[in-house]
Amino acid sequence: MYRDRKEWADLEPVPQDDGPNPVVKIAYSDKFTDVYDYFRALLKNDEKSDRALLLTAEAIELNAANYTVWHYRRVLLQALEKDLREEMRYITAIIEDQPKNYQVWHHRRMVVEWLNDPSEELEFIAEILSQDAKNYHAWQHRQWVIKEYKLWDSELEYVEQLLEEDVRNNSAWNQRHYIISHTTGYSDPAILNREVQYSLKQIKKAPHNESVWNYLKGILQDLGLSSHPGLLEQILELKETHCSPYLLGFLVDIYEDFLENTLEHHEEVLSKALELCELLAREKDTIRREYWSYVGRSLQTKYGSTSNRLIWIHSH
Amino acid sequence: MTEPTLLRDQHYQYLKKGLRHLSDAYECLDASRPWLCYWILHSLELLEEPVPTAIASDVCKFLARCQSPTGGFAGGPCQAAHLAPTYAAVNALCIIGTQEAYNIIDREKLLSFLFSVKQPDGSFVMHIGGEVDVRSTYCAASVASLTNIMTPTLFQDTPTWIVSCQNWEGGLGGVPGLEAHGGYTFCGMAAMVILGKEHMLDLKSLLRWVASRQMRYEGGFQGRCNKLVDGCYSFWQAGLLPLLHRALFKGGDSTLSLQKWMFEQQALQEYILLCCQNPAGGLLDKPGKSRDFYHTCYCLSGLSVAQHFGNMDLHHELIVGREENRLAPSHPVYNICPEKVAQAIQHFHQLPVPVPAQKEGEAPNRLS
């Protein structure tokens, strides 16, 4: 205990003052109380010393979410001109132990910035992602490192590896979109087509994977789903062997885009779209019944002929 | 088959105890104690259990000790101010709703705290020397609107920044580029509603994204595509539908339902009641997980959303199980009871907006 250490005898611990009738009072362990009583003392005196730095590590171990302690640690690191390589080793170990904490990742980012050295980052983050491929903080840190230090080159390859391991990893699909949007973009027809083909390939492998359907829509919607030649036909073909509520929803989207951008065949296309909304609401995606009914009503209102509109809406 | 029952008494005992005492398992929340106050007080108000005057006053005094001398609230006494406990503290004080509670908030200092964390690109860091993400915009907008300290420049460029968080999936990520996520999407949307800029978002794709987050087998919501269900998303995700409904209605949509939100309300209630209750009190993520006050708050908040459609003028209830399962309605933006929102706004609007002593970006705030 710090209270028993000779080297700390000069410092008067500061007990936490919750007031006379505390609320949400935590039954801190003896160790916790001891460490934080001394942390508060350091803060009060604005002490900048090596012993203070050591104490912050103990305080962090007891509660890694205490952002006040982390801030103070950073102040100390700067003031004492500590070896930041050593700090990288420290923060690496802490993150391995507690990868789902905001403060640890922010601290690592600060150290990387101070060192201006991202060289360990992609490998480190990949290691964390190998334990939890969807860790949100890890992906956030990864996107920051890549953008800040322009480390785009090998990332698409990394994403493909992750998708090989789990084609349902939505974080990986998001990263795919991130990389391509920030490098080649999707306006080049060769790139867009490559991505469409990649997506269709993944759909055939795992038809009930919502991520890939969302990705396909995501990359085509700016240009318009109905503008991609042959896509509707390909989807209608897939409908026979690889049907899913996602495929049906995608068809609704294609038809809607058609209605938005073309003037012919409105009644026919609208009728197909409404039929699908009805099918989804009633049978294929009933958990979203209210949503699909709304979509149907909206389409009818926007594209239906006035006479049919009122009758249709009141029956749905 | 027995009807699903909300274990009111058990939850009440769990909450009542927690408001005073927490085990050392809560050491990890030692920098989030205003959150504990809010989660517990909000749960109690949803259960329509009154908070004894003495405890309410003690909460006020405690939160006063969490207020930073430079403005805003911290996770505990003598800690640094942070937007998340600031949001929680202000909400907790508004739930209490007494003059004592309102008077705790130093509005001038709060405004200067908000300016001190404001970034040139419209975003906010969570605390001095801290990280940026969309939660901060919601926390800032929530407290600023409730306490009437919004100035013309405080949220300059914030709506544009929030819009940049909407991605190819239709939902919002924590920062631009990230995967769409229920918690962040709620924060972004609710902030936009407060700022009156919800129409800058692509509401249609947002609606499609959130509607798709309800799990067809479990009935509850997932936080992200292809991840597991979690009781807390009963609020973060399902809570988006009232916001979207209102936004679409404001935008002139005439095809919206007059009775139901655009998610399966019954299925969500069943998930919460049948899968998220601890028999000894408290609610949780999914079966097999431990109870905690965060999940208690957000499972109950989600249950309330699923039970109540509309607003005060147009109200339609759908209660799964006995009438005794009914919870109080909650305000979809602030997630405290609507009466408490109205009362707080009424109180603080009688006071003048403080004059900012400094403008955004003047205080050094990213260095460490």
Side-chain angles (χ1 to χ4, degrees), chain A residues 297-308:
Chain A
R297 290 194 304 272
S298 302
L299 289 173
Q300 178 67 251
T301 306
K302 197 166 176 191
Y303 301 108
S305 66
T306 341
S307 53
N308 293 337

Side-chain angles (χ1 to χ4, degrees), chain B residues 32-93:
Chain B
S32 297
R33 290 173 71 200
W35 275 115
L36 288 160
C37 294
Y38 163 67
W39 293 329
I40 295 172
L41 286 174
H42 181 52
S43 301
L44 289 169
E45 73 170 344
L46 288 171
L47 290 167
E48 292 179 299
E49 295 287 356
V51 180
T53 336
I55 301 191
S57 183
D58 291 340
V59 173
C60 292
K61 295 188 174 74
F62 173 70
L63 291 175
R65 288 169 182 274
C66 293
Q67 188 161 218
S68 163
T70 47
F73 290 82
C78 298
Q79 295 178 29
H82 185 298
L83 278 171
T86 299
Y87 164 83
V90 170
N91 262 8
L93 291 167

Side-chain angles (χ1 to χ4, degrees), chain B residues 98-116:
Chain B
T98 58
Q99 292 302 308
E100 180 190 3
Y102 297 143
N103 291 340
I104 299 290
I105 304 168
D106 184 330
R107 295 163 69 244
E108 287 72 24
K109 297 243 176 73
L110 178 58
L111 182 58
S112 95
F113 172 62
L114 295 182
F115 272 116
S116 78

Side-chain angles (χ1 to χ4, degrees), chain B residues 4 53 69 71 74 165 169 176 183 257 295 334 350:
Chain B
T53 336
C165 293
E169 301 173 77
S257 168
H295 283 93
Y334 301 96
Q350 289 168 352

Side-chain angles (χ1 to χ4, degrees), chain B residues 200-218:
Chain B
M200 287 173 66
L201 290 165
D202 181 345
L203 297 176
K204 267 188 60 196
S205 1
L206 207 165
L207 174 60
R208 167 70 71 97
W209 177 80
V210 64
S212 302
R213 302 282 67 76
Q214 188 167 20
M215 314 291 279
R216 63 170 56 94
Y217 297 114
E218 297 93 314

